[in-house]
Amino acid sequence: MDHMGSCFCGAVKIEVTGSPAAMGYCHCNSCRSWSGGPVNAFSLWKSDAVQIKSGAEHVGTFQKTPFSQRMYCKLCGGHLMNGHQPAGLIDVFAATIPTLRFAPGVHVNYAETVLPMKDGLPKLKDFPAELGGSGEQVPE
């Protein structure tokens, strides 16, 4: 299924195609600081499933680490997505895609949480092993 999304002002339009590779919550300090919230809802897509349909000239990028390329609209500051090039994935922020039925399956970087959540989902200390983390689960 295809979904369209946009930045806060609508100048940048993005399309995601198919189904996300994963959905969940990130509790790391970087995501909390970037999102302005205690947790960030993510939807991970293969890189070729995400396209900027219009407004590419308004997309800015900030790269704090080699793993993350955070993209935002230079007009309104609205957050769009976070490229994870080493993994071939793009995290399109769940709130950016209003028609996506958000179905989280995991919590990542839960060791850094400031908002404990009791929802029965797996809580990973950091990242899954296949993405370079320990894959270690921590108690809910």
Side-chain angles (χ1 to χ4, degrees):
M1 180 171 197
D2 297 350
H3 299 278
M4 294 295 293
S6 68
C7 63
F8 190 61
C9 71
V12 179
K13 304 243 188 297
I14 59 173
E15 180 181 53
V16 293
T17 304
S19 298
M23 289 188 272
Y25 301 105
C26 184
H27 295 260
C28 80
N29 184 53
S30 288
C31 280
R32 290 195 322 266
S33 179
W34 178 256
S35 71
V39 66
N40 182 58
F42 65 83
S43 65
L44 288 175
W45 304 79
K46 295 207 182 284
S47 295
D48 62 357
V50 180
Q51 290 185 352
I52 297 174
K53 299 303 270 185
S54 64
E57 68 275 16
H58 303 302
V59 176
T61 302
F62 177 77
Q63 185 161 350
K64 183 177 179 181
T65 70
F67 189 70
S68 297
Q69 307 80 41
R70 297 177 187 273
M71 291 168 256
Y72 60 94
C73 173
K74 293 187 283 187
L75 298 177
C76 68
H79 298 176
L80 295 164
M81 53 195 147
N82 189 4
H84 298 301
Q85 291 174 350
L89 296 169
I90 296 177
D91 166 11
V92 179
F93 302 119
T96 305
I97 316 167
T99 60
L100 178 68
R101 183 183 165 276
F102 184 65
V106 66
H107 292 263
V108 297
N109 296 301
Y110 200 71
E112 298 179 46
T113 195
V114 296
L115 180 67
M117 300 171 79
K118 295 187 183 269
D119 57 10
L121 296 175
K123 313 291 191 285
L124 298 183
K125 175 184 172 185
D126 44 36
F127 286 111
E130 58 270 19
L131 293 179
S134 69
E136 179 184 337
Q137 287 199 33
V138 295
E140 190 168 66

